[in-house]
């Protein structure tokens, strides 16, 4: 067995060799087979380029088809053999490294382009031949009418030797003469053609326009017409043709005969239909694919203001687990079975099912009562998926989440409808899955806004759209300002100032929280150093910076913090890092190790939102924290008199526990003086809230600190 070609050029020559061997026997050429291979090599390179071009350009494939005709590869079998070679060997020998499914899809589009270019060039060649025949026929029309013209022999030679079918009929439509090519097209029996009236060759696919053109021609109102027309052969099969009919006049210009030139396009049409099917249907399941689905959806949405539509967008729950545990082959068999069940659910007129890709399917219904029908369709789909599917001897339970969009056809475009269905489907999935949800415009708008914020986050950090406000931390004992908590804000160009509750979860989901958190830490530490320099006589002012769970697990947390402190010159004791209680529930030593190192350096660690995470109080002894931040939920009842005695006991117990563990207690959400007095009596150390000041620019803390001194 010979070795595979090494380099791209070797593989390209191998492809050209295979192509030349397939094409040479059906090509009318004076070249030898090696010379013919050399002629095909540039075309093979074009095909390879078309496979790699981004974006895809059909013109390259069309140029290959035209070049084949130019090289006298004009037999229909030449096109068929070319497409078979491209289908079997182009990706194998000329495909770059990449997704094979994408390369196969591009290969199918290349075949379509080659066929189109071949057909267009062959048709141009045929039309040129037809023009020559027509000119010969016009030159010889005297011989047809009078049988006396001296060029009858030349006309007969052209007539009988032409590759296209030729027929001559009188003005009543009776066929008088046919050539051998036309007889072969209709099955080889001349008596089925000669003497027959052309009016009997109607076909259900004929448009009224075809016969209107015919009537105009036989009445002398037009000289010729060209149409695509189907004929029934005597054996019942269909012959598809490009038909050109011309009017022949006598020497005085009186209409006398009609001349038909017939080009057989049946094989080309079947090839186009096959390529069209492959381009519009999913190779795995046989269902319509995204392309055909969008065509149907756009047609449904353009049906008029009174028309309605319903769309079910299905995504299988946990399908990735099947692929990961049983393999992709098992996953494919599961998808085929799901596709069969879905197809059985959409059998009514106006309903269709398609596969968009992966484990995503859509079902479309149209008609006057889609509000009821789409709900019933979704129910049938859920019932169809309820029965377990057997794959490789295993019974697999299939669950799915469906998003439903229904409404008037003329209100939205196809992309907007599918986006709404996709958003709704994910809403069903987040609600637990195995259910369907109806589209909600308000929920769509929130999801779209959330997506827009997610995509804008990286650019926002680069553009400096984030800023920090500081909320003072006040010592309850004497009301002096101890420092402030840094609270990041986003000044969005369209939405204005956005609070952290809206964009921090998005930053955590995308991983941007790490660079954003580092920026907040650096800016806050720099600001704290500025406060220290301006208020040496008032004592050190601390800054509290929040850490997200993602930052806790980032390997650069300690090194980044140390580098920032050293570069700014801020003492570690002036920095407090706040970590939510929920982030430390069940934390192992690997997670606590960075916090321990920071605490050993002198950085304070505060346990934020204490009391909301239901953690074991005994864990406090092993956590490297020095501050408990009591959640505002425990102190809201102290805003009004009389104070709930249960709240007092809870806060008193937490403060006592914290102090016994040498932990300071900070209280959030202080909004009244009575609340502040009560917390001071309970022994809380520091507090923050609107009673003291709302979050604001760093200079406000400077003013508050000066007020304490004065």
């Amino acid at each position: 067995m010979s070795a595979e070609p090494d380099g791209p050029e070797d593989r390209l020559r191998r492809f050209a060799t295979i192509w030349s061997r397939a094409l040479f026997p059906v090509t009318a050429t004076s070249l030898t087979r090696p010379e013919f291979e050399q002629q095909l090599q540039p075309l093979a390179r074009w095909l390879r380029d078309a496979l790699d071009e981004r974006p895809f350009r059909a013109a390259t494939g069309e140029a290959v088809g035209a070049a084949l005709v130019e090289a006298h590869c004009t037999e229909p079998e030449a096109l068929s053999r070319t497409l078979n070679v491209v289908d079997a060997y182009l990706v194998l020998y000329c495909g770059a490294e990449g997704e094979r499914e994408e390369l196969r899809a591009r290969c199918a589009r290349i075949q379509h382009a080659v066929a189109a270019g071949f057909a267009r060039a062959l048709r141009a060649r045929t039309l040129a031949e037809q023009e020559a025949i027509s000119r010969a026929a016009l030159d010889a029309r005297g011989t047809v009418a009078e049988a006396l013209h001296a060029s009858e022999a030349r006309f007969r030679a052209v007539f009988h030797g032409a590759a296209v079918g030729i027929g001559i009929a009188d003005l009543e439509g009776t066929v008088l003469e046919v050539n051998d090519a036309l007889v072969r097209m209709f099955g080889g029996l001349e008596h089925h053609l000669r003497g027959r009236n052309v009016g009997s060759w109607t076909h259900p696919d004929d448009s009224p326009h075809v016969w209107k053109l015919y009537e105009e021609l036989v009445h002398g109102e037009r000289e010729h017409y060209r149409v695509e027309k189907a004929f029934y052969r005597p054996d019942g099969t269909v012959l598809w043709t490009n038909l050109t009919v011309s009017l022949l006049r006598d020497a005085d210009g009186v209409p006398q005969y009609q001349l038909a030139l017939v080009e057989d396009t049946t094989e080309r049409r079947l090839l186009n239909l096959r390529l069209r099917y492959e381009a519009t249907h999913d190779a795995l399941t046989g269902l319509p694919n995204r392309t055909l689905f969008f065509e149907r959806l756009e047609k449904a949405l353009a049906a008029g203001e009174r028309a309605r539509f319903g769309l079910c967008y299905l995504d299988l729950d946990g399908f990735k687990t099947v692929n990961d545990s049983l393999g992709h082959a098992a996953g494919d068999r599961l998808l085929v079975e799901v596709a069969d069940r879905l197809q059985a659910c959409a059998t009514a007129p106006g309903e269709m099912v398609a596969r968009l890709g992966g484990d995503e399917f859509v079902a479309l219904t149209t008609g006057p009562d889609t509000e009821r029908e789409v709900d019933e369709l979704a129910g049938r789909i859920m019932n169809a998926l309820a029965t377990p599917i057997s794959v490789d001897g295993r019974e697999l339970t299939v669950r799915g989440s469906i998003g439903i969009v229904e409404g008037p056809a003329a209100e939205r475009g196809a992309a907007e409808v599918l986006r709404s269905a996709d958003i709704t489907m994910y809403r069903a999935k987040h609600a637990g899955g195995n259910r369907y949800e109806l589209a909600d415009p308000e929920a769509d708008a929130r999801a779209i806004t959330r997506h827009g914020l997610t995509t804008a986050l990286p650019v926002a950090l680069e553009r400096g759209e984030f800023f920090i406000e500081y909320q003072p931390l006040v010592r309850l004992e004497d009301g002096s300002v101890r420092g402030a908590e840094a609270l990041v804000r986003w000044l969005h160009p369209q939405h204005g100032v956005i609070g952290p509750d809206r964009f921090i979860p998005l930053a955590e989901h995308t991983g941007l929280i790490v660079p954003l958190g580092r920026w907040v830490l650096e800016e806050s530490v720099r600001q704290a150093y500025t406060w220290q320099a301006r208020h040496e006589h008032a004592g050190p002012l601390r800054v509290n910076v929040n850490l997200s769970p993602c930052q806790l697990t980032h390997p650069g947390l300690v090194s980044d913090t140390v580098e920032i402190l050293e570069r700014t010159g801020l003492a570690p004791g002036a920095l407090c890092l706040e970590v939510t209680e929920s982030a430390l529930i069940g934390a192992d030593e690997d997670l606590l190790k960075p916090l321990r190192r920071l605490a050993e350096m002198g950085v304070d660690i505060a346990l934020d939102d204490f009391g909301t995470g239901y953690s074991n109080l005994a864990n406090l002894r092993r956590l490297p924290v020095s501050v408990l931040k009591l959640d505002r939920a425990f102190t809201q009842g102290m805003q009004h008199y009389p104070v709930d005695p249960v709240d007092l006991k809870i806060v008193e117990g937490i403060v006592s526990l914290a102090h016994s563990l040498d932990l300071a207690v900070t209280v959030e959400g202080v909004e009244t003086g009575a609340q502040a007095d009560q917390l001071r009596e309970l022994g809380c150390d520091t507090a923050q809230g609107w009673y003291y000041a709302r979050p604001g620019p760093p200079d406000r803390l400077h003013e508050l600190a000066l007020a304490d001194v004065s």
Side-chain angles (χ1 to χ4, degrees):
M1 183 178 293
S2 60
E4 284 293 320
D6 296 324
E9 290 302 315
D10 291 332
R11 299 173 69 87
L12 182 69
R13 282 193 293 272
R14 177 61 177 154
F15 174 80
T17 300
I18 296 172
W19 190 10
S20 68
R21 288 174 178 170
L23 205 55
F24 186 77
V26 294
T27 300
T29 178
S30 60
L31 301 177
T32 64
R33 212 278 304 162
E35 290 173 340
F36 184 65
E37 179 180 335
Q38 290 294 324
Q39 191 175 19
L40 289 182
Q41 281 191 4
L43 307 188
R45 186 169 284 103
W46 292 357
L47 291 175
R48 183 183 65 183
D49 294 343
L51 196 62
D52 295 334
E53 283 176 331
R54 298 294 189 276
F56 177 78
R57 292 179 64 250
T60 305
E62 293 172 358
V64 172
L68 289 176
V69 175
E70 186 68 21
H72 305 292
C73 304
T74 56
E75 289 294 326
E77 192 175 357
L79 176 61
S80 177
R81 293 190 179 194
T82 292
L83 295 178
N84 287 337
V85 170
V86 171
D87 183 66
Y89 298 104
L90 181 62
V91 173
L92 179 63
Y93 285 103
C94 301
E97 291 296 325
E99 181 62 40
R100 304 312 278 183
E101 183 177 344
E102 180 185 352
L103 290 175
R104 293 297 307 167
R106 293 178 69 85
C107 182
R109 296 177 68 184
I110 289 171
Q111 294 176 61
H112 193 284
V114 170
F118 184 91
R120 189 176 298 113
L122 185 60
R123 180 169 184 173
R125 184 189 185 105
T126 302
L127 289 177
E129 185 178 357
Q130 289 175 355
E131 287 295 327
I133 293 171
S134 295
R135 286 194 296 270
L138 290 173
D139 292 340
R141 63 186 176 183
T143 65
V144 176
E146 304 169 11
L148 297 175
H149 201 280
S151 62
E152 181 177 359
R154 184 180 64 182
F155 173 77
R156 286 294 175 185
V158 173
F159 183 81
H160 289 291
V164 297
I166 305 175
I168 299 175
D170 60 23
L171 296 184
E172 284 71 37
T174 302
V175 177
L176 303 176
E177 292 285 344
V178 291
N179 72 345
D180 294 340
L182 188 61
V183 172
R184 287 194 299 271
M185 289 181 194
F186 277 85
L189 298 175
E190 185 174 340
H191 67 273
H192 283 300
L193 301 176
R194 195 187 302 273
R196 186 172 177 181
N197 192 281
V198 298
S200 64
W201 271 311
T202 59
H203 189 275
D205 289 337
D206 289 344
S207 67
H209 181 62
V210 171
W211 293 101
K212 181 176 183 295
L213 293 174
Y214 172 77
E215 291 295 331
E216 292 176 354
L217 182 129
V218 297
H219 287 98
E221 298 172 7
R222 65 169 49 244
E223 295 302 313
H224 59 83
Y225 65 88
R226 181 179 295 124
V227 294
E228 183 181 33
K229 174 166 170 50
F231 295 91
Y232 281 120
R233 295 189 179 99
D235 62 0
T237 60
V238 176
L239 169 69
W240 280 94
T241 69
N242 281 332
L243 174 67
T244 303
V245 183
S246 300
L247 182 65
L248 300 181
R249 299 175 182 268
D250 62 15
D252 297 325
V254 178
Q256 196 165 17
Y257 299 99
Q258 48 182 317
L259 172 70
L261 304 178
V262 184
E263 177 193 0
D264 184 353
T265 62
T266 305
E267 185 173 348
R268 190 189 316 158
R269 180 180 178 86
L270 292 176
L271 173 63
N272 286 336
L273 289 175
R274 179 173 70 87
L275 293 174
R276 164 68 177 171
Y277 181 87
E278 292 177 354
T280 57
H281 286 75
D282 178 52
L284 176 65
T285 64
L287 292 178
N289 62 10
R290 178 183 290 269
T291 300
L292 183 55
F293 167 72
F294 264 95
E295 290 179 6
R296 288 286 302 274
L297 179 59
E298 288 171 350
K299 182 178 179 181
L301 296 177
E305 295 183 357
R306 290 191 167 186
R308 298 184 71 86
F309 77 98
L311 175 67
C312 296
Y313 193 119
L314 167 69
D315 183 271
L316 301 183
D317 299 333
F319 177 72
K320 184 177 183 298
T321 304
V322 176
N323 275 340
D324 292 345
S325 59
L326 301 181
H328 287 273
D332 287 348
R333 287 192 286 275
L334 177 65
L335 291 175
V336 170
E337 177 62 27
V338 169
D340 290 342
R341 295 189 182 187
L342 295 180
Q343 188 71 68
C345 293
T347 57
E351 293 181 345
M352 76 168 292
V353 172
R355 182 189 179 205
L356 297 185
D359 60 333
E360 295 180 340
F361 299 84
V362 284
L364 177 67
T365 181
T366 57
D369 193 19
T370 53
E371 188 172 1
R372 173 186 59 82
E373 292 170 354
V374 73
D375 188 70
E376 293 177 354
L377 179 58
R380 292 199 300 271
I381 292 173
M382 298 300 293
N383 289 334
L385 297 179
T387 305
I389 295 176
S390 179
V391 175
D392 295 340
R394 299 172 182 264
E395 293 290 324
L396 300 181
T397 300
V398 181
R399 293 159 50 93
S401 300
I402 299 177
I404 297 177
V405 178
E406 190 278 335
E411 292 185 352
R412 288 173 285 186
E416 184 181 357
V417 168
L418 199 65
R419 180 178 60 184
S420 177
D422 190 19
I423 291 171
T424 307
M425 178 272 292
Y426 275 104
R427 186 152 48 86
K429 191 176 288 288
H430 292 155
N434 200 34
R435 58 189 292 156
Y436 59 84
E437 295 280 351
L438 296 176
D440 179 359
E442 294 183 2
D444 287 359
R446 289 194 298 271
I448 292 169
T449 300
R450 186 165 56 250
H451 176 73
L453 293 178
T454 301
T455 56
L457 270 171
V459 180
L461 186 58
E462 294 174 4
R463 293 177 177 173
E465 295 176 4
F466 293 99
F467 66 97
I468 299 174
E469 291 187 328
Y470 298 89
Q471 186 170 37
L473 287 165
V474 175
R475 193 201 315 265
L476 285 169
E477 182 180 357
D478 56 11
S480 62
V481 175
R482 289 288 311 277
E485 179 181 1
L487 301 171
V488 63
R489 307 286 191 255
W490 182 4
L491 183 57
H492 193 279
Q494 283 80 41
H495 301 289
V497 177
I498 300 175
D501 56 321
R502 291 184 60 188
F503 67 83
I504 290 296
L506 303 180
E508 290 177 338
H509 179 70
T510 60
L512 190 72
I513 190 65
V514 173
L516 176 60
R518 191 186 191 286
W519 177 83
V520 172
L521 178 63
E522 188 169 7
E523 290 296 311
S524 303
V525 168
R526 184 181 296 112
Q527 184 58 57
Y529 182 79
T530 302
W531 289 332
Q532 299 281 15
R534 299 174 69 180
H535 302 284
E536 293 181 1
H537 56 285
L541 292 178
R542 302 155 47 89
V543 66
N544 286 28
V545 179
N546 292 282
L547 290 182
S548 77
C550 293
Q551 290 175 273
L552 286 178
T553 59
H554 191 265
L557 173 61
V558 176
S559 58
D560 285 350
T561 305
V562 171
E563 189 270 333
I564 290 171
L565 289 173
E566 290 180 349
R567 179 154 41 84
T568 58
L570 185 71
L575 172 64
C576 179
L577 298 177
E578 298 188 8
V579 184
T580 60
E581 180 187 19
S582 58
L584 296 182
I585 293 178
D588 57 19
E589 283 303 314
D590 288 338
L591 183 63
L592 296 178
K593 186 176 180 180
L595 295 180
R596 292 193 193 283
R597 290 181 58 188
L598 291 170
E600 290 167 358
M601 290 167 43
V603 175
D604 281 330
I605 308 296
L607 195 60
D608 196 11
D609 297 334
F610 182 77
T612 62
Y614 307 104
S615 64
N616 188 344
L617 295 179
N619 285 335
L620 285 175
R621 299 188 61 181
R622 71 182 189 91
L623 298 179
V625 299
S626 54
V627 180
L628 290 186
K629 286 196 76 172
L630 194 60
D631 188 75
R632 69 183 63 209
F634 292 101
T635 61
Q636 284 179 339
M638 298 181 184
Q639 294 179 8
H640 307 288
Y641 186 84
V643 177
D644 188 334
V646 175
D647 286 345
L648 288 176
K649 288 293 184 183
I650 292 174
V651 174
E652 184 179 15
I654 292 175
V655 172
S656 176
L657 172 65
H659 287 170
S660 67
L661 296 174
D662 293 328
L663 303 178
V665 178
T666 299
V667 184
E668 297 179 298
V670 178
E671 298 184 9
T672 66
Q675 203 177 2
D677 292 340
Q678 189 69 65
L679 292 170
R680 182 173 58 254
E681 292 177 8
L682 291 173
C684 296
D685 300 288
T686 55
Q688 63 186 92
W690 288 6
Y691 172 67
Y692 302 106
R694 298 194 179 196
D699 287 346
R700 182 181 300 176
L701 192 76
H702 167 66
E703 296 170 1
L704 292 173
L706 286 179
D708 290 341
V709 175
S710 60

